[in-house]
Amino acid sequence: MSRSTSRPAPENRSTGSSDLPLAVLLDLLGRRHSLMIFWTLRTAPRSFRALESLLDAPSAQLTQRTRELREAGLLEVDEAGDYRLTSNGRRLQGLLEPLSDWAEGWAGLSARQRLPRNSATRARDEP
């Protein structure tokens, strides 16, 4: 069933394609300061100045990233003028928290522990 009010998927900047929504999302969150803005707002709404101070981000770049996250439907500005996660942002947060937990454990591993036993260091046809 088609929803007439749904937004088209954002285009991937490098390919112009919306075929891989996960790639588009990761591209958005991978932009400088985007994930940190998102992750900071998971605990409480924050003002622009508070984000600027916490993230030590240039004002122009923070403005651009908050705009992109709002346009993607992950952030909104509340009645007090602070940024907060939207319902879609909170859903994404729920998905990213287990990944964050996994990353914490992974970061604690040594390089030797990260490499599976008997794993080759190169693919068969890799130069």
Side-chain angles (χ1 to χ4, degrees):
M1 180 169 151
S2 176
R3 292 169 52 190
S4 60
T5 60
S6 67
R7 282 194 219 178
E11 285 194 6
N12 183 310
R13 291 185 305 167
S14 61
T15 64
S17 169
S18 60
D19 292 342
L20 296 170
L22 180 60
V24 173
L25 176 64
L26 292 178
D27 177 60
L28 172 65
L29 293 177
R31 295 175 195 164
R32 188 171 181 98
H33 302 297
S34 290
L35 185 57
M36 292 307 300
I37 292 166
F38 180 86
W39 206 242
T40 299
L41 293 173
R42 82 189 190 287
T43 55
R46 307 235 190 235
S47 69
F48 182 86
R49 296 283 179 231
L51 287 171
E52 192 174 35
S53 175
L54 284 168
L55 302 177
D56 194 29
S59 181
Q61 194 166 62
L62 192 59
T63 298
Q64 178 66 32
R65 295 303 176 255
T66 54
R67 180 181 304 123
E68 292 168 351
L69 291 167
R70 280 192 339 266
E71 289 172 356
L74 299 175
L75 297 187
E76 63 187 358
V77 178
D78 67 14
E79 309 79 35
D82 293 340
Y83 288 100
R84 69 179 179 193
L85 298 181
T86 62
S87 59
N88 273 332
R90 289 188 304 276
R91 286 181 54 216
L92 178 59
Q93 172 195 347
L95 297 169
L96 290 178
E97 283 180 348
L99 182 60
S100 176
D101 293 342
W102 178 87
E104 297 251 345
W106 174 79
L109 297 175
S110 68
R112 184 179 183 103
Q113 290 171 314
R114 290 180 185 173
L115 188 64
R117 220 178 257 216
N118 299 323
S119 175
T121 57
R122 292 192 179 137
R124 176 173 18 115
D125 54 353
E126 183 179 352

